[in-house]
Every structure is written in C-alpha cells, then in structure tokens.
Amino acid sequence: LDFTGGTATGLSIARSMAECGRVRAYCAELGGNAPILVFSDTSVDDAVNGVAFAAFVASGQTCVSGKRILVQRGVFDEFREKFVAKARSLRLGDPMLPDTDVGPVISK
C-alpha cells in the first residue's frame, strides 16, 4: 500500500491497526522517499524501464517518485549499466514537445 503524508499519516495507520486489534510491524515511507526494489529473479530490462519511469515521471517531482533504488547483488552490475544508459538517453526539453522525455526541474 502507498500512503501520502507524514508523521500524522503514520500515526493514523498505527492507530487503525491498534483499534482493530491487529498491530503489526510495518515500514512507512511517508516523507516522499519512495524506495524501488529490484530482485534478481526479474527481467532486468523490465526493471530498468519501470525504475526509469518511477524516477523520472513528472521530472521526478511527485510525492511517490522513486528516490532510492535497492538492487539485489546478483543483478546489480547489469542493472546499473543498463539504467545509466537509459538515464543518459533521456531527452531534456520543453514538456509540451512530443520528443521530450524530461521537462525542466526547478532549483529554487
């Protein structure tokens, strides 16, 4: 499940579990640092395309944009090589043009 929010959202989730008597350990990424996991039993090409979409959609400026990529050792080298090539191939430009992959990113 993916929730948008901060500490209040995390407390609400914990409170809901407690109220129904089903408290479980959970990890909440509520600060906009969505992790992406790549396991060795996946298609590396599919993973590269999925991670690129998650990381660069809307120029990476969404609350669920992938910020951390955790890759299992068995596919790390292949994934890194292909992901770097994919990122380098993205075309920066005017988001209104059809050949633009990534629009401008604000700096202030």
Side-chain angles (χ1 to χ4, degrees), residues 28-79:
E29 289 287 345
L30 299 170
N33 288 314
I36 302 169
L37 306 176
V38 178
F39 294 105
S40 60
D41 64 347
T42 190
S43 158
V44 172
D45 291 329
D46 288 346
V48 165
N49 289 327
V51 170
F53 178 81
F56 300 117
V57 66
S59 300
Q61 298 182 79
T62 65
C63 63
V64 293
S65 185
K67 303 281 193 296
R68 293 179 291 135
I69 307 165
L70 306 173
V71 182
Q72 202 163 18
R73 282 187 184 102
V75 292
F76 178 80
D77 291 334
E78 180 184 2
F79 177 87

